[in-house]
């Protein structure tokens, strides 16, 4: 017979400590639920604040016209040059960081030994933890001092920030590819590079795209590296990365530093454009992630 006491009504009494464990379980559940609700509430508060303050200043003219400073020092134009400049910077940075990050993930998961792979992961984690202002100072010292600010310098700074995110996500995705696919390729007599190009990468393409999109969303709002590398841009529209390119993060910073209330409203509107772009990228990454997980489970 189990070592439990019989309840007066004929039921077995709970073992000692059961009530305390139930209360602890309920307490941890309540704490986790509160933390999740707090995170959602903070996100909702940020989005609501930007929407309330930025929506009144948002217009088609604001999105499609370049800045124009009035006689009183107020911008009566828009942020078209900043939108185009940000798109160019992100495209250049992604063109550098995404292929390099995927190659790093392929090397660490397919070719490197366990000790080398751990060293690579550690280096990527350290690089990911470096403050972006340090990255901006580094690129400023290497590419800007002795020359001038340029879109290329800004793109390199963003690529350094983006690289560890792409590399780590590529590692995680490639490790999820079933081992039987590699074994099937070896059984067919394929070389390792052929297995990677024809089997492993196509299988993991959804997850690789997810990591790339998340990395783009991560660097889209980086301000510190761009202040050091491409902040002295003119009011006109420029698509030449050899010169300084206007961009949304620096534009928001400049407008918020202005004493004009009109500029403050425009800063909120530019922030709304930026956060909407990041939200769209995050939703795309979520869809790609779900499709990638479904494909790997087949």
């Amino acid at each position: 017979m189990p070592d439990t006491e019989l309840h007066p009504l004929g039921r077995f009494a709970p073992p000692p400590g059961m009530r305390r464990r139930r209360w602890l379980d309920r307490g941890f559940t309540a704490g986790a639920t509160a933390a999740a609700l707090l995170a959602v509430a903070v996100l909702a508060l940020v989005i609501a604040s930007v929407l309330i303050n930025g929506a009144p200043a948002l217009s088609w003219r604001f999105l499609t016209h370049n800045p124009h400073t009035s006689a009183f020092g107020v911008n009566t134009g828009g942020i078209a040059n900043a939108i185009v400049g940000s798109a160019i910077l992100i495209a250049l940075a992604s063109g550098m960081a995404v292929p390099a990050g995927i190659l790093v993930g392929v090397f660490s998961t397919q070719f490197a030994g366990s000790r080398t792979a751990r060293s690579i992961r550690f280096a990527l984690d350290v690089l990911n933890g470096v403050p972006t202002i340090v990255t901006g100072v580094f690129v400023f010292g290497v590419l800007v001092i002795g020359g001038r600010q340029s879109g290329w310098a800004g793109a390199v700074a963003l690529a350094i920030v983006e690289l560890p995110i792409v590399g780590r996500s590529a590692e995680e995705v490639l490790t999820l590819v079933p081992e039987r696919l590699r074994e099937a390729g070896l059984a067919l007599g394929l070389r390792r590079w052929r297995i990677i190009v024809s089997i492993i990468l196509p299988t993991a393409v959804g997850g690789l795209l997810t990591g790339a999109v998340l990395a783009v969303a991560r660097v889209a709002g980086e301000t510190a590296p761009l202040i050091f590398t491409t902040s002295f841009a003119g009011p006109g529209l420029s698509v030449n990365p050899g010169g300084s390119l206007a961009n949304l993060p620096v534009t928001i910073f400049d407008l918020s530093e202005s004493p004009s209330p009109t500029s403050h409203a425009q800063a909120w509107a530019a922030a709304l454009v930026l956060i909407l772009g990041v939200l769209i990228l995050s939703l795309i990454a979520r869809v790609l992630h779900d499709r990638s997980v479904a494909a790997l489970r087949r």
Side-chain angles (χ1 to χ4, degrees):
M1 294 292 291
D3 187 16
T4 54
E5 296 181 0
L6 198 61
H7 192 273
L9 297 179
R11 295 174 296 179
F12 286 106
M18 178 61 73
R19 180 174 298 178
R20 181 177 62 85
R21 288 195 292 269
R22 287 176 178 173
W23 280 109
L24 285 175
D25 178 70
R26 292 173 182 174
F28 280 116
T29 302
T33 303
L37 292 176
L38 178 62
V40 175
V42 171
L43 176 62
L45 181 62
V46 171
I47 295 176
S49 299
V50 175
L51 185 62
I52 292 172
N53 291 281
L58 195 62
S59 65
W60 182 249
R61 173 182 173 80
F62 183 72
L63 296 175
T64 57
H65 285 69
N66 293 326
H68 177 72
T69 304
S70 67
F72 299 98
V74 178
N75 178 22
T76 58
I79 57 171
N81 62 336
I83 295 175
V84 173
S86 286
I88 294 173
L89 289 172
I90 292 173
L92 293 176
S94 299
M96 302 176 198
V98 172
I102 292 176
L103 289 176
V104 168
V106 169
F107 175 78
S108 62
T109 58
Q110 307 298 322
F111 297 98
S114 58
R115 181 176 298 181
T116 304
R118 284 196 300 269
S119 300
I120 293 174
R121 284 193 292 269
F122 177 75
L124 291 176
D125 291 337
V126 172
L127 183 60
N128 191 34
V130 172
T132 56
I133 192 171
V134 176
T135 303
V137 172
F138 167 74
V139 177
F140 176 80
V142 174
L143 297 180
V144 177
I145 291 181
R148 61 173 183 172
Q149 289 192 345
S150 66
W152 286 113
V156 169
L158 294 182
I160 294 174
V161 178
E162 191 173 346
L163 175 62
I165 304 173
V166 178
R168 289 293 282 131
S169 62
E171 284 186 341
E172 297 297 331
V173 171
L174 291 173
T175 55
L176 295 177
V177 176
E179 186 65 27
R180 65 178 183 274
L181 295 179
R182 300 183 180 90
E183 295 173 352
L186 292 173
L188 293 174
L190 299 178
R191 295 183 179 273
R192 182 180 295 183
W193 70 267
R194 185 74 176 182
I195 295 173
I196 294 172
V197 173
S198 301
I199 299 176
I200 296 177
L201 290 181
T203 303
V205 65
L208 296 176
L209 289 175
T210 301
V213 173
L214 288 175
V216 170
R218 167 71 171 77
V219 303
E222 288 294 339
T223 307
L226 300 182
I227 289 178
F228 288 97
T229 56
T230 177
S231 58
F232 298 125
L237 178 64
S238 175
V239 296
N240 178 22
S244 189
L245 291 176
N247 54 86
L248 281 174
V250 174
T251 298
I252 295 170
F253 175 78
D254 291 338
L255 290 172
S256 64
E257 290 292 302
S258 172
S260 170
T262 302
S263 298
H264 293 171
Q266 292 174 342
W268 282 107
L272 178 60
V273 173
L274 181 59
I275 199 171
L276 287 176
V278 172
L279 286 175
I280 291 173
L281 290 174
S282 299
L283 291 175
I284 293 174
R286 183 64 184 179
V287 172
L288 292 175
H289 174 267
D290 293 340
R291 291 185 178 181
S292 175
V293 172
L296 290 174
R297 288 177 177 176
R298 292 174 184 172

